[in-house]
Structures are given as structure tokens and as C-alpha cells.
Amino acid sequence: MHEYRARHRQARRRTVVGSGTAALSLGLCLSAGQLMAGSAASAAATTTEVAPTTVTPVAATTTVATAKVTPKLTAKAASKSIKWGSAVKVTAKVIDPKTGKVAKGTVRLQTLSSGKWKTLATKTSSSGAVTLSAKPKTTAYVRTIFTGTGYNQVSTDKVKITVKASGAKILAEAKKHKGALYKYGSSGPKRFDCSGFTKYVYKKAAGKSLPHKANSQQNYGKKVAKSNKKVGDLIVFRNGSYGYHAGIYAGNGYMYDSPHSGARVGKHKIWSSNYVVRRLVA
């Protein structure tokens, strides 16, 4: 009986130990399997190949600008000295150096005014030389400038054009004061007597200085025959040889003057043949 129990206890120990051994063996195997699986997964993740990206080259866009041609521009003024009211005429020609032919474009005649170039006249060049004209009011610098499609802009050097006072300028100034009341002893700019009017106009328009007295004014300027008088000439009426009234010749037997008290500056008929003519501007 005791032997049976002893054998039974021994068998149970072997079973427990065997189970533990088996469980331990299984645990080790599982752990090893997990480690092996993890290592394999890690290895797989590490060695996974990435599919190459295909880069499509973009064609470069190249813009080739067409080089502009610099034409040859020449210009010549008919005269560098003109009378006020007359036109300055400039002849210009533009040549394309590649073809030797006239360059097509726009030619401008400009004057320098207050530091800026102002266009006086414009013409198109297409088959030959072009002539531009304008009437500058004062002495100034002028130039020609060319612009055209496919061409660089070019200009000539500036040239001084001298504008001289003329009879037309004298008359233009006289007309500005039409309607001004007569006032004895006054020489403008709003009231005038006869010699005060002529004194003011010649000074303003031509820079000529005259005394404020008709009799003294007849001693100024160049003596001109009545038959050769021109617009802008000074007319001095006389009593014998004494000058008592002055006016500015306006053409066709008329003059601009400030007649007498109660009258106004205006264009009036020359009423007497006893007068002399004096030319103060060319």
C-alpha cells in the first residue's frame, strides 16, 4: 500500500516535471519563432525595394529676341536763322544699314522747351527724305528723332535756331492790346498814350528801347520811303518836321495806335500823308 502510493507520487512528479519541461520547451520554441518572425519582418522591411520614379524632362522654352537695327538718321535745316512768323524747315532721311534702303517709321521735329523735348511736326518716312516745318516763337534748340518697328530709336544732335523779331511779331504784339483805353503819359500795359503804346510794343516784341515822345521816336530806326513801308514799321505823323503822333503800320493803309483821350487802341485808317516811316526790325 505504501509502495503503491510512493509509486503514484513518483509518477505524478514525472508528469508535472514532464509537463513543465514540455511547456518550457514550447515557450522557448514560441519565443524563438517570434524572434525569427520579427527578424524576418524587420529584414523584409529593411530590404524592401522602392520602385524608381520616372522623371519626364521638361523641354526648356527659349525666347530668342530679334535684334533691333540702329538706322542712320541725317537731318539738315534750310536756315538756322529765321524771322518771327516764318517756318524753320528741316529735311531728314533715315537709312537701314542692312538693306541700304529708307527705313520705314516716324520722324518728328522737336524743340527743347523748359528742359523737355516738345514735338512740333511729325511725318512718316517710307520712300525717301521727309521735310518737316514749324514756326517757333522764340530762339530755341531743335532736333529730329526717328522711331520704327524693328529699329532702335535714334535722334540727331540739337541745333540752335535763331528767331529774329519781324514786322509780323511787332504787329502781333500790337493786336494784343486792342481795346486798351487812352491815358496821357501812360505806357502800358493796360493804358497808353500814342508814344507810350509804340514804346511798349517795340520793347516787348523786339527788345527795342524808344523814348516816350513821338517827336523823339522819329529819330530811331532806319528811314524808309512811304511806298516801301511794311507791316510793323513805325509811323510818326508830323506838323512840319515836328512829330506829334505815332502808330504801327498794319498794312493796306491802316495802323494800330492809341489815338486820343476817350478812344481805345485799335486798327485805324491813316488819315494824313504828312508822316515818316521808320523800320526798327528787319
Side-chain angles (χ1 to χ4, degrees), residues 58-69:
V58 179
T61 303
T62 304
T63 303
V64 179
T66 304
K68 291 186 177 181
V69 177

Side-chain angles (χ1 to χ4, degrees), residues 202-224:
Y202 279 102
K203 182 65 175 180
K204 187 74 173 179
K208 302 292 184 179
S209 297
L210 295 176
H212 194 171
K213 192 172 183 180
N215 187 54
S216 298
Q217 288 184 2
Q218 68 176 326
N219 298 319
Y220 285 73
K222 179 183 177 181
K223 294 181 180 180
V224 177

Side-chain angles (χ1 to χ4, degrees), residues 72-133:
K72 181 181 179 182
L73 172 64
T74 57
K76 184 177 180 181
S79 176
K80 295 181 181 180
S81 179
I82 61 172
K83 291 182 179 180
W84 187 94
S86 298
V88 57
K89 294 183 179 180
V90 177
T91 300
K93 194 169 186 178
V94 193
I95 300 297
D96 185 327
K98 282 190 173 182
T99 63
K101 297 180 179 180
V102 173
K104 295 183 179 180
T106 301
V107 182
R108 293 180 174 85
L109 176 63
Q110 298 182 324
T111 184
L112 188 60
S113 177
S114 300
K116 295 182 179 180
W117 287 102
K118 178 182 177 183
T119 298
L120 298 175
T122 303
K123 278 195 176 180
T124 301
S125 65
S126 57
S127 59
V130 296
T131 299
L132 303 101
S133 63

Side-chain angles (χ1 to χ4, degrees), residues 1-106:
M1 184 63 179
H2 293 288
E3 184 181 355
Y4 170 79
R5 289 179 177 173
R7 285 198 302 269
H8 182 68
R9 289 193 186 102
Q10 189 177 2
R12 287 184 62 188
R13 284 194 196 98
R14 284 198 300 267
T15 301
V16 172
V17 171
S19 299
T21 302
L24 179 59
S25 298
L26 180 60
L28 290 173
C29 288
L30 287 173
S31 297
Q34 287 173 349
L35 287 172
M36 290 177 67
S39 297
S42 298
T46 302
T47 59
T48 300
E49 294 185 2
V50 179
T53 302
T54 302
V55 179
T56 304
V58 179
T61 303
T62 304
T63 303
V64 179
T66 304
K68 291 186 177 181
V69 177
T70 299
K72 181 181 179 182
L73 172 64
T74 57
K76 184 177 180 181
S79 176
K80 295 181 181 180
S81 179
I82 61 172
K83 291 182 179 180
W84 187 94
S86 298
V88 57
K89 294 183 179 180
V90 177
T91 300
K93 194 169 186 178
V94 193
I95 300 297
D96 185 327
K98 282 190 173 182
T99 63
K101 297 180 179 180
V102 173
K104 295 183 179 180
T106 301

Side-chain angles (χ1 to χ4, degrees), residues 119-277:
T119 298
L120 298 175
T122 303
K123 278 195 176 180
T124 301
S125 65
S126 57
S127 59
V130 296
T131 299
L132 303 101
S133 63
K135 294 182 178 181
K137 300 297 183 183
T138 59
T139 295
Y141 286 99
V142 299
R143 73 173 183 180
T144 52
I145 185 169
F146 170 82
T147 54
T149 303
Y151 294 105
N152 291 315
Q153 178 176 288
V154 290
S155 63
T156 58
D157 293 333
K158 62 183 181 181
V159 175
K160 186 177 182 179
I161 301 297
T162 301
V163 179
K164 296 181 178 180
S166 65
K169 187 177 184 181
I170 299 299
L171 186 60
E173 182 63 34
K175 288 179 178 179
K176 291 180 181 179
H177 306 284
K178 182 179 179 180
L181 280 170
Y182 178 96
K183 183 179 180 181
Y184 180 77
S186 181
S187 56
K190 295 183 178 180
R191 299 287 186 92
F192 304 93
D193 61 13
C194 69
S195 61
F197 174 66
T198 52
K199 171 184 170 66
Y200 180 89
V201 170
Y202 279 102
K203 182 65 175 180
K204 187 74 173 179
K208 302 292 184 179
S209 297
L210 295 176
H212 194 171
K213 192 172 183 180
N215 187 54
S216 298
Q217 288 184 2
Q218 68 176 326
N219 298 319
Y220 285 73
K222 179 183 177 181
K223 294 181 180 180
V224 177
K226 294 177 185 177
S227 59
N228 291 329
K229 61 184 178 293
K230 295 180 180 179
V231 167
D233 284 344
L234 173 67
I235 295 177
V236 179
F237 291 87
R238 301 201 296 184
N239 183 2
S241 61
Y242 181 82
Y244 65 90
H245 185 67
I248 296 170
Y249 187 56
N252 300 318
Y254 284 83
M255 66 179 176
Y256 271 87
D257 68 335
S258 184
H260 51 76
S261 182
R264 295 176 183 270
V265 170
K267 187 176 180 180
H268 305 111
K269 188 75 174 178
I270 295 176
W271 71 84
S272 171
S273 60
N274 187 11
Y275 63 85
V276 292
V277 180

